[in-house]
DNA sequence: AACGCATATGCGGCAAGGCGCATATACAGT
DNA sequence: ACTGTATATGCGCCTTGCCGCATATGCGTT
């Protein structure tokens, strides 16, 4: 049945966005564009293995999709994400966005 | 400054709702009423120390408030919670609620 | 085929989190 | 004061999670 699988996904989503670095990566990818790991590494000041692993978690939670493009792997927001889960991500990113305005 | 403190709270909130038992407890308390630990224990089938600790995490995240009432401690939703954080909780609880309808 | 760049992953260490058990604390009733 | 009920917490165990390092893999260039 779907119910069980869904609850697991929900749990995965929450676990995924509970890490600051992953939230930051998600925020970058949430613009709808494609971003290679090297870009995310640079912008988030994260090591290669660390970044790669974090993206894996986001991917396995269903939040992002990845695509091979020559030597790069492009990550992008998953457009098929269930609306209820999109709502969660939007709420979280919005809550973080509230402050940075002050700085910017 | 407030910004740092807020980000920490945000992190606390996400950590708090990342646990299934805590989400369930939050859902119960989210009705606006007061609930003693014994009630939550019974309804969530959790041990006493486990329930008490989980509620402590929710309290420290600012999600709930507690009040002594004779031998009981009544927990309730925190009405002062920042709107941006309320939005997160609402989104999460709504996402979970989607399924239980099928069962009920 | 050899090299270089980009990404993924096995491994080990270390810190954080959840739980049960026992105990402490708070309060009410007798 | 003593007992019973309700809740909190110190402690130790065990699991999970994050990270760096080293290595493997995929792909393009020469």
């Amino acid at each position: 049945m779907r119910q069980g699988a869904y609850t697991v996904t929900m749990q995965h989503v929450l676990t995924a966005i509970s890490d600051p670095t992953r939230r930051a990566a998600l925020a970058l990818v949430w613009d709808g564009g494609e971003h290679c790991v090297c870009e995310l590494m640079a912008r988030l000041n994260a090591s290669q293995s660390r970044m790669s692993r974090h993206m894996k978690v986001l991917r396995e939670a269903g939040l992002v999709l990845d695509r091979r493009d020559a030597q790069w792997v492009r990550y992008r927001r998953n457009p098929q994400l269930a609306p209820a889960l999109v709502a969660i991500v939007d709420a979280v990113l919005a809550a973080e966005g509230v402050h940075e305005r002050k700085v910017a």
Side-chain angles (χ1 to χ4, degrees), chain A:
Chain A
M1 62 170 146
R2 267 225 160 277
Q3 188 175 358
Y6 195 107
T7 299
V8 169
T9 297
M10 151 76 116
Q11 180 61 54
H12 285 169
V13 166
L14 290 175
T15 303
I17 60 180
S18 286
D19 180 274
T21 301
R22 285 196 293 262
R23 273 202 304 283
L26 196 59
L28 290 179
V29 156
W30 217 239
D31 66 0
E34 288 189 321
H35 306 265
C36 65
V37 178
C38 54
E39 180 199 337
L40 300 172
M41 280 175 62
R43 297 178 64 176
L44 300 180
N45 202 13
S47 79
Q48 191 272 314
S49 69
R50 196 169 150 240
M51 198 71 249
S52 178
R53 270 181 232 275
H54 278 314
M55 295 315 291
K56 181 180 187 178
V57 173
L58 291 176
R59 174 165 25 92
E60 290 180 339
L63 291 170
V64 303
L65 299 178
D66 64 328
R67 172 177 78 89
R68 252 282 165 197
D69 177 16
Q71 51 217 117
W72 300 277
V73 172
R74 314 282 188 182
Y75 280 94
R76 65 185 185 281
R77 169 179 176 167
N78 176 11
Q80 312 257 302
L81 188 65
L85 299 179
V86 172
I88 295 174
V89 174
D90 284 342
V92 169
L93 295 184
E96 284 196 318
V98 167
H99 316 286
E100 294 163 290
R101 243 171 260 171
K102 225 179 250 179
V103 185

